Structure formats: C-alpha cells, structure tokens
Amino acid sequence: MTAAGYRILTMGDSALTVEFAGKIDEATNQRVQSLYRLVLDSGLRGVRSVIPSYRSLTLRFDPAHFAVEELEHLLANVNPEAGRRGRLFTIPVVYGGEAGPDLTVVAQRCGLTPEEVVRRHTAVEYRVYMIGFLPGFPYLGGLDTRLVLPRRETPLARIPGGSVAIAGEQAGIYPLDSPGGWWVLGRTSIQLFDPGRASPALLAPGDRVRFEAVS
C-alpha cells in the first residue's frame, strides 16, 4: 500500500485493479465509489469498462490510449465524502413460511424469535457495496450483528429468484433462480434484473435499501 492507502495491481496488459486499504466497510466502499465517479466523469482515455467492488476498482482499457499517470492524478482527488450516496429503495418482503424457509433456523441459531429476526432485518438501512455473482445481485452491508451467521456448509441446488437472504455480515437478494449457500428469510416480488430495461439491474453500488415486512 502507498501512503495514500491504495495499491495498483496489474491484471495482464489491458486491465488493472486499484485496491484500497482497510476492511470491508462503508468508509472504504465510499472511496471506491468516489474513484468510480471520478473515472466516469473525467472520460479517462482508453477505459473500456469500470468495475467497482467492496474495496477495489478494476479498469479494463486499451493499452494504446491509457496512461496510468492520469489515473494516479484522479486518485489524488479521491474524497470519501463524495462517495456515491445513491437512491433509497424500499423492498417489500414476505418473511417465513414457503417464502422464507430458513427464518426459523436462523432465529434458533441466533438465539432470537422469528419475529425478532424480522424486526432486526427491517430496522436498518443497507448500502449496496457491489453487484455481482448473478446479474443484478446486490451485496448489502449493514446487517445487524445479531444476525451474522456463516454460510451454509452445503449450498442448496436452487434458491428461487426474489429470495431475500443473509450470510456472514451481508444481506442480499437473489434476482434469479440459482444455487446458493445463503440463509433465506423471505421473498420479494420486486424484479431486480430485467434485460429489457434501459438499466437492467434495479440497484447500483452506492444505493441504499430498506426491507419492509408485508403479508
């Protein structure tokens, strides 16, 4: 790491990753988001795509037109306070039963009642740290510490699209049917990914999410 708290890692001859110091938390993610906006707004020469994650940013570029010195100039202007504070989405969720088959198990493992799990899950505002794994799948930071559980030891062969789940210190929403190792608390009718929309993924890094229990 440099004194500025980042390092640049080469990924072959046409990509690199800027990795920021620190753990996975909102402050680090805000630095990622600040650089992400700086790169997009600057029209940095030669950049083909920009991929933000928890604590790093990967750039694919045309080697004939890209200059790392221009990127370093942007890095000098990274401002965590300018990290994207995006739109706020309220996601309705049916908890428990067929929609949330793991709610009771999660409650038992956390030493809580199912009602308390739902209360804690809906009481906080989450931040979209990154999109990945599946098209439109949001990795959400901000989970109540009482709900932190390791992933399943054996993943399920199919988790239905719309499933609202938790694993580790994160919450997430499965946009499509998929295998998965997260604990499913409920399900939403909101469509997180639609290739027919101008922006197929509903959520973007920096957006905020609140869950609302519905019948």
Side-chain angles (χ1 to χ4, degrees):
M1 293 292 174
T2 67
Y6 68 84
R7 60 179 177 175
I8 298 177
L9 308 173
T10 57
M11 315 290 286
D13 62 357
S14 60
L16 58 79
T17 293
V18 179
E19 184 179 82
F20 289 96
K23 61 181 181 179
I24 296 173
D25 58 16
E26 184 168 351
T28 301
N29 190 249
Q30 284 180 319
R31 298 185 72 197
V32 173
Q33 289 300 315
S34 175
L35 179 59
Y36 179 57
R37 300 311 310 176
L38 285 169
V39 170
L40 295 183
D41 293 345
S42 70
L44 194 62
R45 291 185 305 160
V47 172
R48 290 172 172 163
S49 62
V50 189
I51 308 165
S53 72
Y54 282 113
R55 61 187 189 94
S56 66
L57 188 82
T58 296
L59 286 81
R60 294 179 60 253
F61 55 83
D62 178 354
H65 298 95
F66 180 79
V68 71
E69 292 80 11
E70 294 180 14
L71 173 63
E72 290 174 335
H73 175 73
L74 294 181
L75 278 161
N77 293 288
V78 165
N79 176 11
E81 297 302 317
R84 186 173 187 269
R85 182 173 172 81
R87 305 158 295 175
L88 174 62
F89 290 84
T90 299
I91 305 293
V93 181
V94 176
Y95 285 93
E98 182 181 348
D102 298 325
L103 177 60
T104 300
V105 175
V106 168
Q108 291 172 346
R109 294 187 60 155
C110 293
L112 302 168
T113 64
E115 293 76 15
E116 181 67 6
V117 171
V118 173
R119 190 193 70 76
R120 289 176 178 271
H121 191 256
T122 57
V124 298
E125 184 176 284
Y126 300 86
R127 177 184 174 87
V128 181
Y129 278 175
M130 61 176 282
I131 301 294
F133 169 53
L134 292 170
F137 184 102
Y139 286 86
L140 305 173
L143 183 68
D144 187 297
T145 56
R146 285 293 302 276
L147 302 182
V148 172
L149 288 175
R151 299 184 185 209
R152 295 175 178 273
E153 293 182 3
T154 303
L156 298 178
R158 176 182 175 272
I159 291 180
S163 291
V164 175
I166 60 174
E169 299 179 2
Q170 308 161 106
I173 310 170
Y174 285 79
L176 310 167
D177 292 0
S178 168
W182 291 35
W183 302 95
V184 179
L185 302 182
R187 195 176 304 162
T188 182
S189 60
I190 298 294
Q191 190 170 6
L192 267 74
F193 183 78
D194 180 356
R197 291 192 300 235
S199 298
L202 177 66
L203 301 173
D207 284 341
R208 296 164 292 141
V209 170
R210 295 195 73 98
F211 293 110
E212 179 183 31
V214 297
S215 59

